[in-house]
Amino acid sequence: MSPIIEEEVTLEINGIQIIAFANECPFELIVGEVYQIELDVTILDEFIIKQVNLEEYNIHQQNNSFAYTLQGKLDIDEGTLEVGSITFEIDSEFLMDYGYLHEQYVQIGVDRLTVDFLNN
């Protein structure tokens, strides 16, 4: 949790540290505890996707912001991007023109990662 931005939370998911925007949190968080969450991508402006030659998974934060570049394997049929052990849902409206990238490794730019904390 950030003392400056109330909605900012730092998550560790399978050893990967992510700074996310907390959309919904119906209870007080305790550092070090484990919570069930729903993690979503938010694309506010332009949808940026490009095929990459490296079959690698990567989550890269852009300039200490909520924005990220996600690199992983795209599944057009499911509308998901697999980034290692984390699977992100990508809205089908963004993927309509990219069927040729099915089962390919891509990079997708997102404006922020949004997290909802679920009641256990």
Side-chain angles (χ1 to χ4, degrees):
M1 297 178 285
S2 168
I4 299 171
I5 303 173
E6 183 176 325
E7 295 86 359
E8 180 181 309
V9 294
T10 301
L11 307 172
E12 184 175 319
I13 303 171
N14 299 326
I16 300 169
Q17 189 169 329
I18 295 172
I19 306 295
F21 184 88
N23 222 15
E24 183 73 29
C25 187
F27 47 84
E28 185 176 344
L29 299 176
I30 300 170
V31 175
E33 289 293 316
V34 176
Y35 298 97
Q36 288 187 350
I37 63 167
E38 185 175 291
L39 188 63
D40 292 313
V41 299
T42 301
I43 300 167
L44 301 172
D45 297 318
E46 182 181 3
F47 180 63
I48 300 171
I49 184 171
K50 68 178 184 177
Q51 186 173 4
V52 294
N53 293 326
L54 297 173
E55 294 184 1
E56 293 181 348
Y57 302 108
N58 193 1
I59 299 175
H60 179 74
Q61 185 181 20
Q62 303 293 320
N63 301 322
N64 295 320
S65 69
F66 288 117
Y68 280 84
T69 301
L70 307 175
Q71 181 172 313
K73 192 172 188 179
L74 184 64
D75 186 326
I76 292 287
D77 296 336
E78 296 294 323
T80 59
L81 179 68
E82 178 189 330
V83 182
S85 60
I86 304 172
T87 300
F88 295 95
E89 289 185 23
I90 308 296
D91 194 324
S92 61
E93 76 179 67
F94 293 115
L95 299 176
M96 289 188 316
D97 298 330
Y98 299 99
Y100 65 95
L101 292 175
H102 179 63
E103 297 293 321
Q104 300 298 311
Y105 283 80
V106 298
Q107 282 185 349
I108 295 178
V110 299
D111 292 299
R112 73 177 176 216
L113 298 177
T114 304
V115 62
D116 290 319
F117 289 86
L118 309 175
N119 288 326
N120 293 342

